[in-house]
Amino acid sequence: MIRSELLQALAKDNPELRAEEVEQVVDIFFDEISERLAEGGRVELRGFGAFSTRERAARVGRNPRTGEAVNVPAKRVPYFKPGKEMREGLNE
């Protein structure tokens, strides 16, 4: 599912909302998750899962084209852990 399909599904299920309002709700939802993760926080949606960040250590990688060693700096990456109900629903 892509963003436009999500907006269409939400608009279909909520005919009382204008398309602009549905898009605004989705924007706020994703922006809040992104902001919380950028602050180093965690977002937990019961029954769905939890978003958090993980630290990746600096390392030496390789340029696949030339084989040359490249320094890759340390960074934080987003991580999603599905909730119990989601895992069970996927494996029925």
Side-chain angles (χ1 to χ4, degrees), residues 15-72:
E16 70 279 1
L17 296 176
R18 295 188 329 265
E20 298 83 24
E21 293 172 324
V22 172
E23 188 167 359
Q24 185 179 16
V25 168
V26 171
D27 287 341
I28 290 170
F29 181 76
F30 289 135
D31 288 345
E32 287 297 319
I33 291 174
S34 297
E35 284 179 27
R36 182 61 56 134
L37 292 177
E39 295 168 356
R42 182 173 191 262
V43 177
E44 183 177 332
L45 304 171
R46 299 279 173 162
F48 182 72
F51 296 92
S52 61
T53 57
R54 290 200 170 167
E55 297 289 327
R56 290 252 173 100
R59 62 185 175 86
V60 176
R62 297 246 174 248
N63 180 329
R65 183 171 288 170
T66 64
E68 178 185 354
V70 177
N71 289 326
V72 179

Side-chain angles (χ1 to χ4, degrees), residues 62-88:
R62 297 246 174 248
N63 180 329
R65 183 171 288 170
T66 64
E68 178 185 354
V70 177
N71 289 326
V72 179
K75 58 185 168 184
R76 289 185 5 219
V77 294
Y79 176 75
F80 175 74
K81 181 179 179 184
K84 179 181 177 185
E85 293 162 7
M86 178 185 274
R87 284 191 314 269
E88 290 173 352

